Amino acid sequence: MIARLLDTKWHIPGTGIRFGADALLSLLPAVGPVASTAVSAYLIWEARRLGVSTGLLIRMLGNLGLDALISAVPVAGSIGDVFFRANLRNMALLRRHLERRGRP
């Protein structure tokens, strides 16, 4: 739910383009990207609590790091956030991990 809010909550009418709070927060200088990254880091923290491997945590942190770099670029970062959906990628990684472990 949080990943969808950050990455794909709304859509641009007449297009298939979806965006979330991450893209909107990127428009706020300094504070927006920091807030978005903090929420994304919380998702990774929860994945750690669920017992994901160190390798998977590093992949998730890589996605978050790339997203933070994209968000740091004024205006263009918001456009990048629309197309690079780090939170949904990380939740897909977590979902696959849990399915392999037999958890829903």
Side-chain angles (χ1 to χ4, degrees):
M1 184 173 80
I2 294 171
R4 280 193 216 107
L5 172 66
L6 288 172
D7 290 343
T8 60
K9 176 70 174 170
W10 302 282
H11 72 279
I12 298 172
T15 69
I17 300 172
R18 299 191 67 81
F19 66 96
D22 193 16
L24 297 175
L25 287 169
S26 292
L27 294 171
L28 300 172
V31 176
V34 169
S36 176
T37 300
V39 174
S40 298
Y42 167 74
L43 295 175
I44 295 172
W45 176 262
E46 287 299 320
R48 183 190 147 292
R49 287 186 34 176
L50 289 171
V52 301
S53 68
T54 302
L56 185 56
L57 285 174
I58 290 170
R59 277 184 73 186
M60 294 173 84
L61 286 168
N63 285 334
L64 176 56
L66 183 55
D67 187 52
L69 284 174
I70 291 169
S71 296
V73 179
V75 181
S78 291
I79 295 167
D81 280 334
V82 169
F83 297 103
F84 184 74
R85 298 174 175 147
N87 297 296
L88 289 178
R89 288 173 186 253
N90 285 342
M91 291 305 99
L93 289 171
L94 177 59
R95 218 173 272 117
R96 278 193 300 257
H97 167 79
L98 293 175
E99 286 171 357
R100 278 185 281 207
R101 299 234 175 200
R103 294 182 189 170

